[in-house]
Amino acid sequence: TFENMPEVVNFTFKKEIKDPKVAALGPISDQYTRKGAEYTLYSDANATQAVTKNGQPVVAVVDENGEGRFEGLYRGRYWVKETKVPTDTNGFERYELDTTIHPVDLSSGDEGETTVSNSTITITKSFTFLNKFTSNEKIKSPKGSLVIKKKDAETKDSTAQGQATLSGGEFKFEFFEPNSL
């Protein structure tokens, strides 16, 4: 039996894409990736006082599976907020920043307990809490527009010649690459 054994706690969280149509694009395009989103750990409910380690804010980066992980924390209550949205390979941000502040209570519980021993015979208990919260991605509102003008092939005018008409035309657009048709 060890008394006053140091404890550290870890926890994971999920980042999911809210729109199922966009989520389905994941396997075929990196435009809507969750990888690279950053979440910062805070010590207050308003998310104004970042928890720091070695003078730097404690940040978790979301992986390609949409999972983020905070490690080596003391027991207590924390708050987490997204501070950077993911970008695709071209550097475009496809999502809005999630301003939700997620409360995380790590003050009790023994989920995922492991005991770790290092070379100095210090034994530490580690607890890992899974899926403490889920953050949902919201697609950014589109910027810009597309204008289509149908013109007569010969006169290049928007009025048809003689008895012809330009009405009733149908157009299909498919976006394959960012910023191109």
Side-chain angles (χ1 to χ4, degrees):
T1 302
F2 296 95
E3 293 184 24
N4 298 324
M5 184 183 300
E7 291 183 348
V8 294
V9 290
N10 314 303
F11 73 91
T12 66
F13 62 92
K14 288 274 190 193
K15 181 163 202 56
E16 295 181 352
I17 299 172
K18 192 172 187 176
D19 185 339
K21 292 176 186 173
V22 175
L25 294 173
I28 59 172
S29 172
D30 76 336
Q31 289 186 57
Y32 294 98
T33 183
R34 296 167 287 173
K35 182 180 179 180
E38 293 182 4
Y39 285 76
T40 302
L41 193 67
Y42 295 91
S43 61
D44 66 311
N46 295 324
T48 58
Q49 299 174 12
V51 173
T52 59
K53 187 174 190 177
N54 298 326
Q56 298 296 317
V58 176
V59 174
V61 179
V62 174
D63 66 17
E64 60 275 350
N65 298 318
E67 189 171 284
R69 182 179 179 90
F70 284 98
E71 296 181 320
L73 305 172
Y74 295 114
R75 286 213 181 259
R77 294 191 65 187
Y78 298 95
W79 289 265
V80 180
K81 183 174 78 170
E82 185 176 37
T83 49
K84 181 182 174 208
V85 294
T87 58
D88 65 15
T89 53
N90 295 316
F92 292 105
E93 297 175 349
R94 305 291 180 184
Y95 301 107
E96 291 183 9
L97 192 66
D98 180 5
T99 58
T100 306
I101 299 171
H102 303 276
V104 178
D105 188 355
L106 303 174
S107 58
S108 62
D110 59 0
E111 189 177 319
E113 180 180 343
T114 58
T115 304
V116 179
S117 175
N118 65 18
S119 61
T120 61
I121 314 193
T122 301
I123 298 176
T124 305
K125 273 189 182 178
S126 176
F127 300 93
T128 300
F129 299 87
L130 303 176
N131 300 325
K132 288 303 276 184
F133 67 87
T134 300
S135 174
N136 287 313
E137 287 285 19
K138 186 176 169 190
I139 301 298
K140 260 188 172 180
S141 299
K143 292 181 181 177
S145 62
L146 177 65
V147 177
I148 302 169
K149 292 184 178 183
K150 189 170 179 184
K151 295 182 178 186
D152 184 280
E154 292 175 10
T155 65
K156 306 293 185 218
D157 190 19
S158 59
T159 306
Q161 298 180 57
Q163 300 294 323
T165 179
L166 299 177
S167 65
E170 294 183 13
F171 299 89
K172 179 181 179 183
F173 293 92
E174 296 182 18
F175 294 85
F176 293 100
E177 300 285 330
N179 301 321
S180 68
L181 296 176

